[in-house]
Tab-separated table of all heavy atoms in Angstrom:
chain	number	residue	atom	x	y	z
A	368	GLY	N	-24.065	15.739	-4.890
A	368	GLY	CA	-22.872	15.149	-5.496
A	368	GLY	C	-21.614	15.556	-4.659
A	368	GLY	O	-20.781	16.282	-5.195
A	369	ASN	N	-21.534	15.085	-3.453
A	369	ASN	CA	-20.558	15.588	-2.478
A	369	ASN	C	-19.399	14.607	-2.218
A	369	ASN	O	-19.153	13.715	-3.035
A	369	ASN	CB	-21.330	15.941	-1.190
A	369	ASN	CG	-21.956	14.709	-0.552
A	369	ASN	OD1	-21.763	13.570	-1.000
A	369	ASN	ND2	-22.852	14.891	0.394
A	370	ASN	N	-18.710	14.755	-1.088
A	370	ASN	CA	-17.613	13.896	-0.712
A	370	ASN	C	-17.999	12.389	-0.693
A	370	ASN	O	-17.214	11.553	-1.116
A	370	ASN	CB	-17.022	14.306	0.630
A	370	ASN	CG	-18.044	14.702	1.709
A	370	ASN	OD1	-19.229	14.447	1.544
A	370	ASN	ND2	-17.570	15.359	2.770
A	371	ILE	N	-19.229	12.113	-0.242
A	371	ILE	CA	-19.668	10.731	-0.178
A	371	ILE	C	-19.821	10.214	-1.632
A	371	ILE	O	-19.362	9.109	-1.990
A	371	ILE	CB	-21.001	10.623	0.634
A	371	ILE	CG1	-20.775	11.018	2.058
A	371	ILE	CG2	-21.632	9.252	0.481
A	371	ILE	CD1	-19.879	10.092	2.871
A	372	ALA	N	-20.470	11.013	-2.482
A	372	ALA	CA	-20.672	10.614	-3.855
A	372	ALA	C	-19.297	10.400	-4.568
A	372	ALA	O	-19.106	9.403	-5.280
A	372	ALA	CB	-21.489	11.664	-4.577
A	373	HIS	N	-18.357	11.315	-4.334
A	373	HIS	CA	-17.065	11.188	-5.009
A	373	HIS	C	-16.319	9.909	-4.541
A	373	HIS	O	-15.659	9.236	-5.362
A	373	HIS	CB	-16.207	12.427	-4.723
A	373	HIS	CG	-16.722	13.617	-5.437
A	373	HIS	ND1	-16.874	14.846	-4.806
A	373	HIS	CD2	-17.141	13.845	-6.743
A	373	HIS	CE1	-17.369	15.741	-5.650
A	373	HIS	NE2	-17.519	15.125	-6.836
A	374	SER	N	-16.414	9.620	-3.264
A	374	SER	CA	-15.720	8.429	-2.809
A	374	SER	C	-16.439	7.159	-3.288
A	374	SER	O	-15.799	6.132	-3.569
A	374	SER	CB	-15.562	8.410	-1.269
A	374	SER	OG	-14.538	9.297	-0.895
A	375	LEU	N	-17.738	7.176	-3.355
A	375	LEU	CA	-18.479	6.045	-3.948
A	375	LEU	C	-18.035	5.809	-5.379
A	375	LEU	O	-17.933	4.646	-5.819
A	375	LEU	CB	-20.019	6.281	-3.887
A	375	LEU	CG	-20.714	6.015	-2.563
A	375	LEU	CD1	-22.179	6.581	-2.615
A	375	LEU	CD2	-20.757	4.489	-2.239
A	376	ILE	N	-17.812	6.851	-6.108
A	376	ILE	CA	-17.384	6.735	-7.517
A	376	ILE	C	-16.035	5.953	-7.590
A	376	ILE	O	-15.875	5.017	-8.370
A	376	ILE	CB	-17.277	8.113	-8.171
A	376	ILE	CG1	-18.705	8.658	-8.338
A	376	ILE	CG2	-16.546	8.041	-9.497
A	376	ILE	CD1	-18.726	10.148	-8.746
A	377	TRP	N	-15.098	6.330	-6.692
A	377	TRP	CA	-13.816	5.578	-6.685
A	377	TRP	C	-14.010	4.174	-6.146
A	377	TRP	O	-13.332	3.235	-6.579
A	377	TRP	CB	-12.728	6.361	-5.900
A	377	TRP	CG	-12.183	7.497	-6.734
A	377	TRP	CD1	-12.308	8.809	-6.531
A	377	TRP	CD2	-11.415	7.319	-7.963
A	377	TRP	NE1	-11.733	9.528	-7.550
A	377	TRP	CE2	-11.141	8.623	-8.427
A	377	TRP	CE3	-10.972	6.231	-8.678
A	377	TRP	CZ2	-10.417	8.862	-9.592
A	377	TRP	CZ3	-10.212	6.462	-9.862
A	377	TRP	CH2	-9.987	7.770	-10.293
A	378	GLY	N	-14.975	4.039	-5.243
A	378	GLY	CA	-15.300	2.677	-4.730
A	378	GLY	C	-15.804	1.787	-5.871
A	378	GLY	O	-15.461	0.602	-5.972
A	379	SER	N	-16.568	2.370	-6.769
A	379	SER	CA	-17.065	1.644	-7.949
A	379	SER	C	-15.900	1.227	-8.863
A	379	SER	O	-15.801	0.126	-9.328
A	379	SER	CB	-18.071	2.449	-8.693
A	379	SER	OG	-18.308	1.904	-9.940
A	380	ALA	N	-14.945	2.181	-9.013
A	380	ALA	CA	-13.795	1.868	-9.902
A	380	ALA	C	-13.000	0.692	-9.361
A	380	ALA	O	-12.482	-0.109	-10.108
A	380	ALA	CB	-12.891	3.107	-10.042
A	381	ARG	N	-12.920	0.569	-8.055
A	381	ARG	CA	-12.080	-0.461	-7.453
A	381	ARG	C	-12.782	-1.797	-7.222
A	381	ARG	O	-12.156	-2.826	-7.173
A	381	ARG	CB	-11.476	0.013	-6.148
A	381	ARG	CG	-10.510	1.211	-6.321
A	381	ARG	CD	-9.288	0.874	-7.184
A	381	ARG	NE	-8.458	2.028	-7.405
A	381	ARG	CZ	-8.420	2.738	-8.549
A	381	ARG	NH1	-9.197	2.396	-9.561
A	381	ARG	NH2	-7.638	3.787	-8.669
A	382	THR	N	-14.120	-1.725	-7.037
A	382	THR	CA	-14.849	-2.990	-6.680
A	382	THR	C	-15.799	-3.442	-7.761
A	382	THR	O	-16.299	-4.593	-7.679
A	382	THR	CB	-15.692	-2.808	-5.414
A	382	THR	OG1	-16.742	-1.838	-5.685
A	382	THR	CG2	-14.849	-2.306	-4.246
A	383	GLY	N	-16.088	-2.623	-8.767
A	383	GLY	CA	-17.068	-3.009	-9.848
A	383	GLY	C	-18.493	-2.785	-9.437
A	383	GLY	O	-19.383	-3.111	-10.191
A	384	LEU	N	-18.705	-2.127	-8.296
A	384	LEU	CA	-20.062	-1.745	-7.864
A	384	LEU	C	-20.754	-0.918	-8.958
A	384	LEU	O	-20.124	-0.044	-9.619
A	384	LEU	CB	-19.968	-0.876	-6.631
A	384	LEU	CG	-21.242	-0.262	-6.060
A	384	LEU	CD1	-22.045	-1.338	-5.287
A	384	LEU	CD2	-20.919	0.907	-5.156
A	385	ASN	N	-22.015	-1.269	-9.243
A	385	ASN	CA	-22.806	-0.527	-10.196
A	385	ASN	C	-23.446	0.659	-9.480
A	385	ASN	O	-24.325	0.429	-8.614
A	385	ASN	CB	-23.817	-1.517	-10.787
A	385	ASN	CG	-24.592	-0.899	-11.971
A	385	ASN	OD1	-24.048	0.044	-12.620
A	385	ASN	ND2	-25.741	-1.345	-12.222
A	386	LEU	N	-23.067	1.849	-9.846
A	386	LEU	CA	-23.494	3.020	-9.062
A	386	LEU	C	-24.376	3.953	-9.917
A	386	LEU	O	-24.084	4.278	-11.068
A	386	LEU	CB	-22.239	3.780	-8.644
A	386	LEU	CG	-22.325	5.041	-7.828
A	386	LEU	CD1	-23.017	4.729	-6.471
A	386	LEU	CD2	-20.943	5.655	-7.579
A	387	ARG	N	-25.536	4.291	-9.314
A	387	ARG	CA	-26.373	5.300	-9.960
A	387	ARG	C	-26.460	6.506	-9.017
A	387	ARG	O	-26.736	6.281	-7.818
A	387	ARG	CB	-27.792	4.770	-10.150
A	387	ARG	CG	-27.840	3.494	-11.028
A	387	ARG	CD	-29.348	3.148	-11.161
A	387	ARG	NE	-29.514	1.838	-11.726
A	387	ARG	CZ	-30.610	1.116	-11.539
A	387	ARG	NH1	-31.570	1.596	-10.745
A	387	ARG	NH2	-30.765	-0.019	-12.085
A	388	ILE	N	-26.263	7.688	-9.548
A	388	ILE	CA	-26.270	8.880	-8.678
A	388	ILE	C	-27.333	9.827	-9.237
A	388	ILE	O	-27.313	10.209	-10.410
A	388	ILE	CB	-24.902	9.558	-8.736
A	388	ILE	CG1	-23.854	8.632	-8.123
A	388	ILE	CG2	-24.936	10.917	-7.973
A	388	ILE	CD1	-22.423	9.228	-8.050
A	389	ALA	N	-28.270	10.207	-8.342
A	389	ALA	CA	-29.339	11.164	-8.740
A	389	ALA	C	-29.196	12.464	-7.942
A	389	ALA	O	-29.223	12.372	-6.676
A	389	ALA	CB	-30.697	10.564	-8.514
A	390	THR	N	-29.031	13.565	-8.629
A	390	THR	CA	-28.850	14.858	-7.927
A	390	THR	C	-29.736	15.881	-8.648
A	390	THR	O	-30.061	15.713	-9.824
A	390	THR	CB	-27.381	15.384	-8.018
A	390	THR	OG1	-27.152	15.881	-9.338
A	390	THR	CG2	-26.380	14.322	-7.643
A	391	PRO	N	-30.054	17.018	-7.983
A	391	PRO	CA	-30.654	18.079	-8.693
A	391	PRO	C	-29.673	18.654	-9.716
A	391	PRO	O	-28.421	18.569	-9.475
A	391	PRO	CB	-30.952	19.147	-7.606
A	391	PRO	CG	-30.793	18.440	-6.307
A	391	PRO	CD	-29.835	17.345	-6.538
A	392	PRO	N	-30.135	19.263	-10.823
A	392	PRO	CA	-29.187	19.857	-11.772
A	392	PRO	C	-28.327	20.901	-11.062
A	392	PRO	O	-28.829	21.652	-10.249
A	392	PRO	CB	-30.135	20.505	-12.800
A	392	PRO	CG	-31.425	19.803	-12.667
A	392	PRO	CD	-31.566	19.407	-11.248
A	393	GLY	N	-27.062	20.866	-11.381
A	393	GLY	CA	-26.120	21.822	-10.721
A	393	GLY	C	-25.427	21.255	-9.494
A	393	GLY	O	-24.512	21.832	-8.987
A	394	TYR	N	-25.918	20.069	-9.045
A	394	TYR	CA	-25.319	19.452	-7.827
A	394	TYR	C	-24.726	18.065	-8.099
A	394	TYR	O	-24.528	17.282	-7.239
A	394	TYR	CB	-26.396	19.402	-6.727
A	394	TYR	CG	-26.803	20.747	-6.230
A	394	TYR	CD1	-27.832	21.457	-6.887
A	394	TYR	CD2	-26.137	21.357	-5.186
A	394	TYR	CE1	-28.188	22.728	-6.458
A	394	TYR	CE2	-26.463	22.642	-4.726
A	394	TYR	CZ	-27.490	23.292	-5.393
A	394	TYR	OH	-27.817	24.565	-4.976
A	395	GLU	N	-24.362	17.880	-9.391
A	395	GLU	CA	-23.786	16.608	-9.798
A	395	GLU	C	-22.350	16.486	-9.190
A	395	GLU	O	-21.736	17.475	-8.872
A	395	GLU	CB	-23.642	16.538	-11.315
A	395	GLU	CG	-24.902	16.615	-12.128
A	395	GLU	CD	-25.383	18.058	-12.379
A	395	GLU	OE1	-24.655	19.026	-11.931
A	395	GLU	OE2	-26.413	18.279	-13.016
A	396	PRO	N	-21.881	15.215	-9.071
A	396	PRO	CA	-20.482	15.091	-8.715
A	396	PRO	C	-19.556	15.708	-9.779
A	396	PRO	O	-20.008	15.880	-10.940
A	396	PRO	CB	-20.252	13.545	-8.678
A	396	PRO	CG	-21.422	12.979	-9.364
A	396	PRO	CD	-22.554	13.927	-9.322
A	397	ARG	N	-18.342	15.991	-9.453
A	397	ARG	CA	-17.422	16.666	-10.371
A	397	ARG	C	-17.196	15.810	-11.604
A	397	ARG	O	-16.817	14.623	-11.513
A	397	ARG	CB	-16.069	16.958	-9.666
A	397	ARG	CG	-16.018	18.427	-9.173
A	397	ARG	CD	-14.862	18.711	-8.345
A	397	ARG	NE	-13.589	18.222	-8.922
A	397	ARG	CZ	-12.405	18.402	-8.334
A	397	ARG	NH1	-12.305	18.982	-7.203
A	397	ARG	NH2	-11.309	17.936	-8.901
A	398	LYS	N	-17.329	16.508	-12.797
A	398	LYS	CA	-17.234	15.765	-14.061
A	398	LYS	C	-15.811	15.133	-14.249
A	398	LYS	O	-15.705	14.011	-14.730
A	398	LYS	CB	-17.388	16.796	-15.223
A	398	LYS	CG	-18.824	16.855	-15.766
A	398	LYS	CD	-18.786	17.272	-17.230
A	398	LYS	CE	-20.187	17.206	-17.830
A	398	LYS	NZ	-21.042	18.285	-17.305
A	399	ASP	N	-14.788	15.859	-13.838
A	399	ASP	CA	-13.382	15.350	-14.029
A	399	ASP	C	-13.215	14.068	-13.208
A	399	ASP	O	-12.580	13.098	-13.711
A	399	ASP	CB	-12.349	16.396	-13.694
A	399	ASP	CG	-12.513	16.918	-12.300
A	399	ASP	OD1	-13.641	16.977	-11.769
A	399	ASP	OD2	-11.437	17.310	-11.690
A	400	ILE	N	-13.831	14.021	-12.052
A	400	ILE	CA	-13.667	12.809	-11.197
A	400	ILE	C	-14.469	11.633	-11.811
A	400	ILE	O	-13.956	10.506	-11.917
A	400	ILE	CB	-14.136	13.079	-9.782
A	400	ILE	CG1	-13.161	14.072	-9.102
A	400	ILE	CG2	-14.256	11.812	-8.956
A	400	ILE	CD1	-13.532	14.544	-7.728
A	401	VAL	N	-15.689	11.930	-12.318
A	401	VAL	CA	-16.497	10.894	-12.930
A	401	VAL	C	-15.753	10.326	-14.152
A	401	VAL	O	-15.627	9.119	-14.309
A	401	VAL	CB	-17.886	11.461	-13.373
A	401	VAL	CG1	-18.670	10.402	-14.204
A	401	VAL	CG2	-18.673	11.910	-12.168
A	402	GLU	N	-15.159	11.198	-14.933
A	402	GLU	CA	-14.482	10.732	-16.149
A	402	GLU	C	-13.215	9.962	-15.827
A	402	GLU	O	-12.945	8.895	-16.407
A	402	GLU	CB	-14.172	11.910	-17.094
A	402	GLU	CG	-15.408	12.297	-17.873
A	402	GLU	CD	-15.366	13.660	-18.516
A	402	GLU	OE1	-14.220	14.220	-18.674
A	402	GLU	OE2	-16.449	14.220	-18.849
A	403	GLU	N	-12.415	10.457	-14.900
A	403	GLU	CA	-11.198	9.765	-14.532
A	403	GLU	C	-11.530	8.381	-13.945
A	403	GLU	O	-10.857	7.375	-14.279
A	403	GLU	CB	-10.403	10.621	-13.546
A	403	GLU	CG	-8.976	10.141	-13.339
A	403	GLU	CD	-8.244	10.838	-12.201
A	403	GLU	OE1	-8.759	11.830	-11.675
A	403	GLU	OE2	-7.143	10.380	-11.909
A	404	ALA	N	-12.511	8.327	-13.076
A	404	ALA	CA	-12.864	7.020	-12.457
A	404	ALA	C	-13.469	6.097	-13.523
A	404	ALA	O	-13.160	4.893	-13.501
A	404	ALA	CB	-13.870	7.296	-11.338
A	405	ARG	N	-14.264	6.620	-14.424
A	405	ARG	CA	-14.817	5.766	-15.503
A	405	ARG	C	-13.689	5.140	-16.307
A	405	ARG	O	-13.729	3.953	-16.655
A	405	ARG	CB	-15.725	6.573	-16.430
A	405	ARG	CG	-17.140	6.611	-15.952
A	405	ARG	CD	-18.026	7.231	-17.039
A	405	ARG	NE	-19.390	7.428	-16.554
A	405	ARG	CZ	-20.126	8.489	-16.828
A	405	ARG	NH1	-19.654	9.486	-17.577
A	405	ARG	NH2	-21.363	8.564	-16.344
A	406	ALA	N	-12.682	5.969	-16.591
A	406	ALA	CA	-11.524	5.437	-17.365
A	406	ALA	C	-10.821	4.359	-16.596
A	406	ALA	O	-10.087	3.542	-17.215
A	406	ALA	CB	-10.574	6.611	-17.706
A	407	GLN	N	-10.995	4.297	-15.322
A	407	GLN	CA	-10.362	3.222	-14.462
A	407	GLN	C	-11.375	2.185	-14.106
A	407	GLN	O	-11.233	1.485	-13.088
A	407	GLN	CB	-9.692	3.830	-13.272
A	407	GLN	CG	-8.580	4.779	-13.649
A	407	GLN	CD	-7.791	5.242	-12.390
A	407	GLN	OE1	-7.672	4.551	-11.389
A	407	GLN	NE2	-7.266	6.458	-12.487
A	408	GLY	N	-12.509	2.114	-14.804
A	408	GLY	CA	-13.397	1.024	-14.588
A	408	GLY	C	-14.684	1.327	-13.758
A	408	GLY	O	-15.482	0.419	-13.555
A	409	ALA	N	-14.855	2.572	-13.330
A	409	ALA	CA	-16.052	2.873	-12.503
A	409	ALA	C	-17.271	2.687	-13.375
A	409	ALA	O	-17.323	3.131	-14.553
A	409	ALA	CB	-16.001	4.289	-11.964
A	410	ARG	N	-18.318	2.091	-12.784
A	410	ARG	CA	-19.616	1.951	-13.505
A	410	ARG	C	-20.550	2.919	-12.850
A	410	ARG	O	-21.175	2.597	-11.803
A	410	ARG	CB	-20.099	0.528	-13.368
A	410	ARG	CG	-19.100	-0.471	-14.040
A	410	ARG	CD	-19.358	-1.874	-13.532
A	410	ARG	NE	-20.634	-2.406	-13.947
A	410	ARG	CZ	-21.241	-3.395	-13.311
A	410	ARG	NH1	-20.755	-3.935	-12.231
A	410	ARG	NH2	-22.408	-3.850	-13.790
A	411	VAL	N	-20.646	4.131	-13.402
A	411	VAL	CA	-21.453	5.144	-12.746
A	411	VAL	C	-22.344	5.889	-13.777
A	411	VAL	O	-21.863	6.293	-14.831
A	411	VAL	CB	-20.575	6.142	-11.943
A	411	VAL	CG1	-19.362	6.587	-12.657
A	411	VAL	CG2	-21.340	7.346	-11.420
A	412	GLU	N	-23.630	5.951	-13.436
A	412	GLU	CA	-24.575	6.702	-14.261
A	412	GLU	C	-25.116	7.892	-13.438
A	412	GLU	O	-25.393	7.738	-12.254
A	412	GLU	CB	-25.770	5.815	-14.618
A	412	GLU	CG	-25.502	4.770	-15.645
A	412	GLU	CD	-26.764	3.908	-15.722
A	412	GLU	OE1	-26.963	3.004	-14.862
A	412	GLU	OE2	-27.585	4.124	-16.646
A	413	ILE	N	-25.286	9.060	-14.067
A	413	ILE	CA	-25.792	10.204	-13.412
A	413	ILE	C	-27.226	10.500	-13.835
A	413	ILE	O	-27.523	10.503	-15.053
A	413	ILE	CB	-24.888	11.462	-13.703
A	413	ILE	CG1	-23.403	11.134	-13.502
A	413	ILE	CG2	-25.329	12.684	-12.868
A	413	ILE	CD1	-22.942	10.912	-12.073
A	414	PHE	N	-28.097	10.739	-12.892
A	414	PHE	CA	-29.553	10.996	-13.173
A	414	PHE	C	-29.928	12.311	-12.536
A	414	PHE	O	-29.298	12.741	-11.541
A	414	PHE	CB	-30.435	9.911	-12.544
A	414	PHE	CG	-30.212	8.536	-13.054
A	414	PHE	CD1	-29.137	7.736	-12.653
A	414	PHE	CD2	-31.149	7.958	-13.960
A	414	PHE	CE1	-28.943	6.468	-13.156
A	414	PHE	CE2	-30.937	6.674	-14.428
A	414	PHE	CZ	-29.868	5.911	-14.003
A	415	HIS	N	-31.058	12.865	-13.042
A	415	HIS	CA	-31.689	14.006	-12.301
A	415	HIS	C	-33.063	13.567	-11.740
A	415	HIS	O	-33.714	14.379	-11.096
A	415	HIS	CB	-31.791	15.249	-13.213
A	415	HIS	CG	-30.447	15.819	-13.548
A	415	HIS	ND1	-30.007	16.114	-14.760
A	415	HIS	CD2	-29.422	16.155	-12.699
A	415	HIS	CE1	-28.793	16.569	-14.719
A	415	HIS	NE2	-28.395	16.605	-13.480
A	416	ASP	N	-33.451	12.338	-12.094
A	416	ASP	CA	-34.736	11.855	-11.622
A	416	ASP	C	-34.476	10.745	-10.554
A	416	ASP	O	-33.956	9.674	-10.926
A	416	ASP	CB	-35.509	11.264	-12.822
A	416	ASP	CG	-36.841	10.667	-12.428
A	416	ASP	OD1	-37.109	10.526	-11.201
A	416	ASP	OD2	-37.609	10.323	-13.313
A	417	PRO	N	-34.800	11.020	-9.314
A	417	PRO	CA	-34.453	10.059	-8.270
A	417	PRO	C	-35.150	8.703	-8.470
A	417	PRO	O	-34.593	7.650	-8.199
A	417	PRO	CB	-34.934	10.741	-6.945
A	417	PRO	CG	-35.805	11.840	-7.332
A	417	PRO	CD	-35.437	12.271	-8.719
A	418	VAL	N	-36.362	8.745	-9.016
A	418	VAL	CA	-37.127	7.488	-9.225
A	418	VAL	C	-36.399	6.589	-10.215
A	418	VAL	O	-36.205	5.398	-9.983
A	418	VAL	CB	-38.580	7.759	-9.657
A	418	VAL	CG1	-39.323	6.462	-9.998
A	418	VAL	CG2	-39.321	8.545	-8.612
A	419	LYS	N	-35.915	7.159	-11.274
A	419	LYS	CA	-35.193	6.403	-12.333
A	419	LYS	C	-33.933	5.760	-11.706
A	419	LYS	O	-33.592	4.636	-12.031
A	419	LYS	CB	-34.768	7.299	-13.489
A	419	LYS	CG	-35.905	7.655	-14.406
A	419	LYS	CD	-35.479	7.607	-15.855
A	419	LYS	CE	-36.708	7.643	-16.795
A	419	LYS	NZ	-37.367	8.932	-16.805
A	420	ALA	N	-33.245	6.503	-10.834
A	420	ALA	CA	-32.021	5.955	-10.222
A	420	ALA	C	-32.353	4.789	-9.279
A	420	ALA	O	-31.614	3.848	-9.190
A	420	ALA	CB	-31.274	7.064	-9.519
A	421	VAL	N	-33.426	4.939	-8.542
A	421	VAL	CA	-33.760	3.971	-7.450
A	421	VAL	C	-34.417	2.720	-7.954
A	421	VAL	O	-34.268	1.635	-7.404
A	421	VAL	CB	-34.620	4.683	-6.376
A	421	VAL	CG1	-35.276	3.695	-5.454
A	421	VAL	CG2	-33.804	5.736	-5.622
A	422	GLU	N	-35.119	2.811	-9.104
A	422	GLU	CA	-35.895	1.665	-9.639
A	422	GLU	C	-35.010	0.404	-9.744
A	422	GLU	O	-34.005	0.391	-10.454
A	422	GLU	CB	-36.458	2.034	-11.015
A	422	GLU	CG	-37.900	2.409	-10.944
A	422	GLU	CD	-38.431	3.035	-12.239
A	422	GLU	OE1	-37.609	3.167	-13.187
A	422	GLU	OE2	-39.574	3.390	-12.262
A	423	GLY	N	-35.425	-0.612	-9.004
A	423	GLY	CA	-34.753	-1.931	-9.078
A	423	GLY	C	-33.383	-1.984	-8.412
A	423	GLY	O	-32.666	-2.962	-8.574
A	424	ALA	N	-33.031	-0.927	-7.638
A	424	ALA	CA	-31.690	-0.920	-6.987
A	424	ALA	C	-31.651	-1.919	-5.777
A	424	ALA	O	-32.698	-2.222	-5.204
A	424	ALA	CB	-31.372	0.462	-6.546
A	425	ASP	N	-30.447	-2.330	-5.449
A	425	ASP	CA	-30.234	-3.241	-4.311
A	425	ASP	C	-30.076	-2.451	-3.005
A	425	ASP	O	-30.156	-3.028	-1.931
A	425	ASP	CB	-28.985	-4.071	-4.536
A	425	ASP	CG	-29.143	-4.997	-5.746
A	425	ASP	OD1	-30.026	-5.900	-5.680
A	425	ASP	OD2	-28.417	-4.780	-6.773
A	426	ALA	N	-29.719	-1.159	-3.139
A	426	ALA	CA	-29.566	-0.329	-1.939
A	426	ALA	C	-29.808	1.112	-2.364
A	426	ALA	O	-29.536	1.522	-3.485
A	426	ALA	CB	-28.155	-0.424	-1.339
A	427	VAL	N	-30.370	1.871	-1.419
A	427	VAL	CA	-30.586	3.316	-1.629
A	427	VAL	C	-29.763	4.031	-0.528
A	427	VAL	O	-29.923	3.739	0.668
A	427	VAL	CB	-32.089	3.691	-1.527
A	427	VAL	CG1	-32.291	5.193	-1.774
A	427	VAL	CG2	-32.921	2.875	-2.499
Side-chain angles (χ1 to χ4, degrees):
N369 60 12
N370 41 14
I371 295 295
H373 291 131
S374 283
L375 278 169
I376 291 169
W377 283 112
S379 166
R381 295 299 177 257
T382 65
L384 175 78
N385 187 25
L386 181 62
R387 301 183 191 154
I388 297 180
T390 75
Y394 293 87
E395 299 85 359
R397 262 173 48 179
K398 264 207 176 72
D399 57 329
I400 292 177
V401 174
E402 280 164 19
E403 193 188 352
R405 272 189 185 139
Q407 296 186 32
R410 298 161 69 202
V411 46
E412 287 174 279
I413 312 290
F414 297 78
H415 292 128
D416 178 350
V418 175
K419 285 222 166 70
V421 165
E422 261 167 359
D425 297 295
V427 181

